[in-house]
Amino acid sequence: MAGLYVHIPFCNAKCLYCDFFSGNQLYLIDSYVDALCVEMELRSKYVGGESIQTIYFGGGTPSLLSYEQFDKIFSTINFHFQVSGNAEITVDCNPENITSEYVDGLIRLGVNRISLGVQFLSDEKLVRFNRKHSSILIMNALEIISQSLLTNLSVDLIYNVPDLSDRFLEESLEKLFEYDIKHISAYSLTISKNSQLFWKIKKGEFNENSEDINISQYNLIHNFLISKGFEHYEVSNYAKRDFISQHNASYWDQVTYLGIGVSAHSYNRFSRQWNHTNSKKYIRDLLGISPFVAFEIEHLTVNQLFNEYVILKLRTSRGLSFNYVKINFNDEIFLFFTRTINTLNQQNHFVIQGDSIVPKESDLMLADYLAKILMI
């Protein structure tokens, strides 16, 4: 089983908080799609013949691609890879791109999951953060998707936004849940050094919320979603039964995945590699006489593999496994791991159930802190 990630680095405009690789060179899209198809041909053996269980189109704004462009990509995927009949196939979409015809077209191509970038329902905040849709367009997109044959809808939300009250956040959740949403990704507003927001805060144009507000809104969202029957399966992710994001879960379970496109990352259990971040060069390299992919690679040490296991699994409700560490790492690492876990357990962290070390709800909020203690 393997995953396939396809990066679409185009946006109409950059959101203030975004630090993903993207740009507004929309005139490059046709050539970029051609380049993606060549890269898939060149790198199809990376997954070692494993069947593709998840496909994820992220960005950027994948919903800027036309039906015909998606059709070309899917034809190439199906030609070069063995795609499982029940594969989860997700496209990140922005509300302003959603029409009935567009959603129906994606479904015809095999897309069975849409992740809708709502972020917040405040028109004033949507404008201020440079989002290109309104709350009306959000509700319109939700209505269109709910009337379609698609049954797996995920929504992205951002909380801990300055001047958005707990009351407004709760009212927004109530509005959203007039629709049949199966999955929610809820992210605290992050101030990345590569974002425009970081520099606006430096200039005093934005103020950060206090940690108390962050915790209050985290708890508000958590309690609301749990009351709606959602499972909190990862720090920022909630899902109804059987609707966990299989693609994201494959990252946390350290399953092999191939990243296609500029800046995309790949992982094969032994190494990690990432494509260079220049869309025009990416296109030139792959559409030239001798096509190639420019990337960096890092071969992972045993210690790095252990640290990644700890970092990723501590973010999930499934937690860690004594047997996994014993089987996959040396005696020295296993001894360090068991001693540290026992110390943390005495400090009232985790629930140890036989082989499983399950984080408490409070531990998920401390995942990064606990991971640092457990890392070598």
Side-chain angles (χ1 to χ4, degrees):
M1 184 182 81
L4 180 65
Y5 172 80
V6 183
H7 190 67
I8 308 298
F10 303 103
C11 289
N12 282 317
K14 191 88 164 176
C15 299
L16 291 191
Y17 49 77
C18 180
D19 69 339
F20 294 130
F21 180 80
S22 63
N24 61 357
Q25 300 163 306
L26 306 189
Y27 64 92
L28 293 175
I29 291 180
D30 272 336
S31 298
Y32 183 80
V33 168
D34 290 341
L36 286 176
C37 294
V38 175
E39 185 184 0
M40 280 189 271
E41 178 182 0
L42 293 178
R43 302 188 63 203
S44 58
K45 292 182 171 55
Y46 183 87
V47 297
E50 295 184 55
S51 66
I52 300 296
Q53 189 64 41
T54 67
I55 302 172
Y56 198 107
F57 290 85
T61 309
S63 53
L64 286 173
L65 267 61
S66 67
Y67 172 85
E68 291 74 21
Q69 289 161 341
F70 268 119
D71 186 27
K72 187 169 191 174
I73 293 170
F74 275 110
S75 294
T76 305
I77 290 172
N78 289 319
F79 185 82
H80 292 291
F81 298 94
Q82 179 186 343
V83 180
S84 171
N86 64 346
E88 176 194 85
I89 304 175
T90 305
V91 176
D92 277 348
C93 292
N94 275 4
E96 67 268 24
N97 303 133
I98 294 295
T99 65
S100 298
E101 294 75 18
Y102 194 78
V103 173
D104 291 345
L106 292 179
I107 293 170
R108 283 198 303 275
L109 292 172
V111 174
N112 49 33
R113 185 173 184 272
I114 283 177
S115 179
L116 191 68
V118 169
Q119 315 314 2
F120 14 78
L121 286 179
S122 163
D123 287 330
E124 184 269 328
K125 290 295 182 288
L126 288 167
V127 170
R128 196 173 185 202
F129 281 89
N130 214 25
R131 298 291 292 172
K132 295 304 174 186
H133 58 260
S134 64
S135 56
I136 290 175
L137 283 176
I138 291 170
M139 306 316 287
N140 183 59
L142 289 168
E143 182 65 32
I144 289 170
I145 294 169
S146 70
Q147 295 297 321
S148 75
L149 296 176
L150 189 124
T151 58
N152 191 350
L153 171 62
S154 177
V155 165
D156 282 2
L157 292 178
I158 297 177
Y159 65 93
N160 191 31
V161 177
D163 303 321
L164 281 187
S165 67
D166 288 7
R167 174 76 177 271
F168 185 88
L169 181 58
E170 189 165 15
E171 289 173 352
S172 297
L173 289 167
E174 292 286 359
K175 286 182 183 178
L176 291 173
F177 275 84
E178 293 174 8
Y179 300 93
D180 188 18
I181 295 170
K182 297 298 201 304
H183 185 281
I184 289 275
S185 295
Y187 303 104
S188 176
L189 181 66
T190 302
I191 316 300
S192 168
K193 288 185 178 180
N194 294 323
S195 69
Q196 298 174 52
L197 181 58
F198 175 82
W199 296 108
K200 286 185 175 292
I201 288 173
K202 283 283 189 183
K203 294 175 183 177
E205 297 176 22
F206 266 86
N207 293 316
E208 294 184 69
N209 278 344
S210 68
E211 186 61 21
D212 287 345
I213 293 175
N214 182 35
I215 293 170
S216 171
Q217 295 196 348
Y218 172 94
N219 287 330
L220 186 157
I221 292 172
H222 174 80
N223 293 334
F224 181 93
L225 294 176
I226 294 300
S227 75
K228 296 292 186 181
F230 279 65
E231 174 191 350
H232 189 195
Y233 72 97
E234 193 270 344
V235 173
S236 302
N237 288 276
Y238 298 78
K240 285 191 174 179
R241 188 178 184 88
D242 299 326
F243 287 94
I244 286 172
S245 168
Q246 298 302 317
H247 188 81
N248 288 345
S250 71
Y251 292 155
W252 304 319
D253 291 341
Q254 296 172 292
V255 171
T256 293
Y257 59 86
L258 170 62
I260 296 293
V262 64
S263 84
H265 287 233
S266 302
Y267 170 79
N268 64 0
R269 302 187 184 96
F270 306 104
S271 67
R272 189 176 305 285
Q273 65 186 64
W274 52 97
N275 292 355
H276 288 180
T277 56
N278 184 315
S279 296
K280 287 184 178 180
K281 183 178 186 303
Y282 174 83
I283 292 167
R284 287 197 305 270
D285 291 346
L286 282 158
L287 299 186
I289 296 174
S290 302
F292 69 96
V293 185
F295 62 85
E296 303 289 333
I297 189 166
E298 177 185 21
H299 296 282
L300 301 171
T301 67
V302 173
N303 285 3
Q304 285 176 309
L305 289 169
F306 171 76
N307 289 342
E308 290 203 0
Y309 170 73
V310 166
I311 292 168
L312 293 170
K313 297 300 279 187
L314 275 182
R315 294 182 61 86
T316 73
S317 60
R318 285 184 289 178
L320 302 157
S321 159
F322 284 113
N323 283 338
Y324 182 91
V325 176
K326 187 172 184 178
I327 292 169
N328 289 280
F329 302 101
N330 58 44
D331 291 343
E332 183 180 354
I333 290 176
F334 181 65
L335 181 61
F336 165 79
F337 176 74
T338 53
R339 284 176 174 171
T340 310
I341 286 293
N342 287 332
T343 298
L344 289 170
N345 184 235
Q346 290 168 11
Q347 296 170 2
N348 205 30
H349 294 294
F350 308 122
V351 175
I352 297 179
Q353 301 171 335
D355 176 56
S356 299
I357 304 147
V358 182
K360 299 178 179 179
E361 177 59 35
S362 57
D363 293 330
L364 290 176
M365 285 198 72
L366 300 172
D368 292 342
Y369 163 76
L370 295 172
K372 285 180 181 178
I373 296 172
L374 279 163
M375 286 167 59
I376 296 174

